[in-house]
């Protein structure tokens, strides 16, 4: 399975991010392209330890089971629920959001060995974070044909 800790994978993602434009439309879901870019950047800020979260109560009950499912070598399912703090509203500048997300993706080249806390899945290791971050990015890029 691909991981954002691999340079080739990061380069692929960056190329796909760069293929998006203000005119990119979603194949599913409620977000527009600027909201998706901001959502993905926020996810990577969490995975890189730049933003901290605590695990929700429901996540403590079901998060580890769901994390096992997330780690399978298959694309993420469409229309899964979004953690409330990751829901985006309003519009932002697409070019700025693309640059911010690309900078974060490039940041995985220097990621520490620390784990992070996902609001639903709980504690995630560096290896799991690399796989999960790729799957999350791939899911949303496929959503916008990127």
């Amino acid at each position: 399975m691909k991981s954002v800790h691999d340079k080739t994978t990061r380069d692929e993602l960056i190329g796909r991010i760069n293929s998006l434009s203000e005119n990119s439309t979603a194949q599913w879901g409620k977000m527009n392209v600027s909201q998706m870019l901001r959502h993905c950047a926020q996810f990577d800020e969490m995975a890189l330890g730049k933003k901290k979260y605590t695990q929700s109560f429901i996540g403590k009950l079901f998060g580890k089971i769901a994390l096992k499912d997330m780690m399978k070598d298959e694309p993420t399912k469409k229309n899964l629920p979004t953690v409330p703090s990751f829901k985006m509203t309003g519009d932002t500048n697409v070019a700025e959001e693309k640059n911010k997300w690309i900078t974060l993706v490039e940041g995985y080249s220097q990621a520490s060995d620390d784990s992070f806390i996902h609001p639903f899945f709980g504690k995630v290791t560096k290896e799991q974070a690399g796989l999960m971050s790729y799957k999350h990015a791939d899911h949303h890029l496929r959503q916008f044909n990127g």
Side-chain angles (χ1 to χ4, degrees):
M1 188 180 339
K2 293 184 178 183
S3 169
V4 293
H5 296 299
D6 175 65
K7 181 175 179 3
T8 304
T9 300
R10 288 192 306 275
D11 291 345
E12 171 206 323
L13 289 175
I14 290 167
R16 291 170 67 189
I17 294 166
N18 278 323
S19 75
L20 299 172
S21 74
E22 296 82 11
N23 300 319
S24 298
T25 56
Q27 305 304 301
W28 71 83
K30 298 177 182 175
M31 288 188 283
N32 64 36
V33 69
S34 72
Q35 291 166 343
M36 179 276 289
L37 291 164
R38 194 164 21 125
H39 166 84
C40 289
Q42 185 175 347
F43 182 92
D44 287 330
E45 286 174 336
M46 171 189 65
L48 288 164
K50 296 177 184 300
K51 284 193 175 180
K52 305 287 185 195
Y53 294 87
T54 57
Q55 188 176 20
S56 66
F57 176 74
I58 193 88
K60 288 180 182 182
L61 296 175
F62 302 107
K64 289 297 175 201
I65 295 166
L67 180 61
K68 273 184 158 178
D69 190 51
M70 172 62 87
M71 293 295 106
K72 291 179 182 172
D73 190 12
E74 57 191 39
T76 303
K77 297 172 187 143
K78 298 176 183 177
N79 295 313
L80 290 174
T82 301
V83 172
S85 60
F86 284 74
K87 290 183 179 179
M88 300 294 136
T89 59
D91 291 326
T92 56
N93 182 291
V94 170
E96 288 176 14
E97 293 297 335
K98 283 170 53 173
N99 288 335
K100 181 177 180 180
W101 189 18
I102 288 168
T103 299
L104 289 163
V105 170
E106 290 170 340
Y108 283 102
S109 66
Q110 301 160 4
S112 70
D113 289 333
D114 295 340
S115 60
F116 73 93
I117 305 294
H118 184 278
F120 183 74
F121 299 120
K123 188 174 181 180
V124 176
T125 66
K126 179 181 177 179
E127 180 182 354
Q128 290 170 325
L131 301 173
M132 182 186 297
S133 295
Y134 173 77
K135 286 184 72 164
H136 184 257
D138 176 65
H139 169 78
H140 286 292
L141 289 166
R142 283 186 299 106
Q143 179 184 14
F144 285 86
N145 288 325

